[in-house]
Amino acid sequence: MNSTMQHGMQPCTSLSRCFRDSKTAPLNSRPARGQQQCLDARSRDARSRTRRLVSGFAAAANWNPQNVPGPQVVPSMDMSALDTVKAQLDALHENNKPWSNHGLLTMYEFGETIGGLDRCYYFGYGKDLYHFDHFMGQFQNELPELVNLHSYSIEGSKYEEDVHKVLVDVVSGLNMSHAQFVFVLAEKDIGTKQGALMTRCLIRHKHQ
């Protein structure tokens, strides 16, 4: 017969019983076998919960669209207005290379007022674009033809009122339709990108 049963003890079946019994035991006494089983089970359960939490945090970090390195091309004083536009459109051509949404991240990096606390007029109207995931969702809604575009051509460029305006014609990768957009570029006047041309706004061209 089991030694535990010989002494008239039953295995502890609940943590509440374990806690109740421990209140009446002397402070310097060792836990009875049944109580120790409950304490061991409680410890294993706590370790299991901790592992699940850590695993959950790791999965969230892998999913986070901002958990990526910077884009391969960034604004530079050495880039002309056409270079600046081409760098962005080339990245959008294969949006998910070399990693997911790299093209949209490039657009975010070239946004002149994106990432600040003030409302941004990148799409031609005031919008909070502080976080990359906000920008990414809004870009896909407003300018879907540009994401994974098939091809593009530069239709014209002019400089007026301290900004460069570059007109582009894009063939959509979705249905091969044509759409035109205007990049309005301005020179960054503060920060680490000071002196580089960046996109103040990107709007759909309206034919007159």
Side-chain angles (χ1 to χ4, degrees):
M1 182 180 293
N2 185 281
S3 60
T4 300
M5 298 300 293
Q6 286 179 338
H7 288 83
M9 294 180 61
Q10 297 294 329
C12 184
T13 58
S14 69
L15 290 177
S16 61
R17 179 178 172 184
C18 180
F19 294 145
R20 183 179 65 249
D21 293 344
S22 67
K23 292 179 182 179
T24 60
L27 293 177
N28 59 352
S29 65
R30 298 181 62 184
R33 183 177 300 177
Q35 293 175 337
Q36 185 62 50
Q37 289 174 343
C38 287
L39 292 173
D40 290 344
R42 181 167 177 260
S43 177
R44 287 194 299 271
D45 185 57
R47 290 196 296 270
S48 177
R49 287 198 303 270
T50 300
R51 285 194 295 269
R52 288 197 299 270
L53 285 172
V54 171
S55 177
F57 289 140
N62 290 333
W63 174 86
N64 186 349
Q66 299 183 61
N67 186 33
V68 292
Q72 292 188 326
V73 181
V74 297
S76 168
M77 292 179 60
D78 298 328
M79 299 173 68
S80 67
L82 296 185
D83 292 335
T84 300
V85 170
K86 288 179 179 178
Q88 296 177 76
L89 293 176
D90 288 344
L92 285 174
H93 171 57
E94 292 184 303
N95 178 55
N96 294 317
K97 292 184 179 181
W99 57 77
S100 179
N101 291 312
H102 171 264
L104 289 171
L105 183 62
T106 301
M107 304 302 290
Y108 181 83
E109 186 74 16
F110 273 87
E112 182 200 17
T113 58
I114 292 175
L117 297 179
D118 296 330
R119 293 178 70 82
C120 178
Y121 289 82
Y122 184 92
F123 297 106
Y125 54 86
K127 185 71 176 178
D128 175 15
L129 298 176
Y130 180 76
H131 295 290
F132 172 53
D133 50 350
H134 293 172
F135 172 81
M136 181 168 59
Q138 196 67 22
F139 195 103
Q140 291 171 315
N141 288 333
E142 293 289 334
L143 310 171
E145 300 94 335
L146 289 171
V147 182
N148 290 313
L149 61 91
H150 178 269
S151 60
Y152 70 86
S153 60
I154 306 295
E155 298 297 307
S157 175
K158 63 180 178 180
Y159 179 78
E160 61 182 9
E161 299 179 354
D162 297 327
V163 296
H164 296 265
K165 296 181 180 179
V166 181
L167 175 65
V168 300
D169 184 86
V170 171
V171 178
S172 170
L174 298 172
N175 53 18
M176 303 301 288
S177 63
H178 284 257
Q180 292 191 330
F181 304 90
V182 177
F183 282 80
V184 179
L185 309 176
E187 191 174 296
K188 188 73 171 178
D189 56 1
I190 58 173
T192 58
K193 300 169 186 173
Q194 183 175 0
L197 287 175
M198 301 181 67
T199 305
R200 177 167 294 177
C201 62
L202 174 55
I203 55 178
R204 196 176 297 273
H205 178 60
K206 296 180 180 179
H207 296 278
Q208 296 180 350

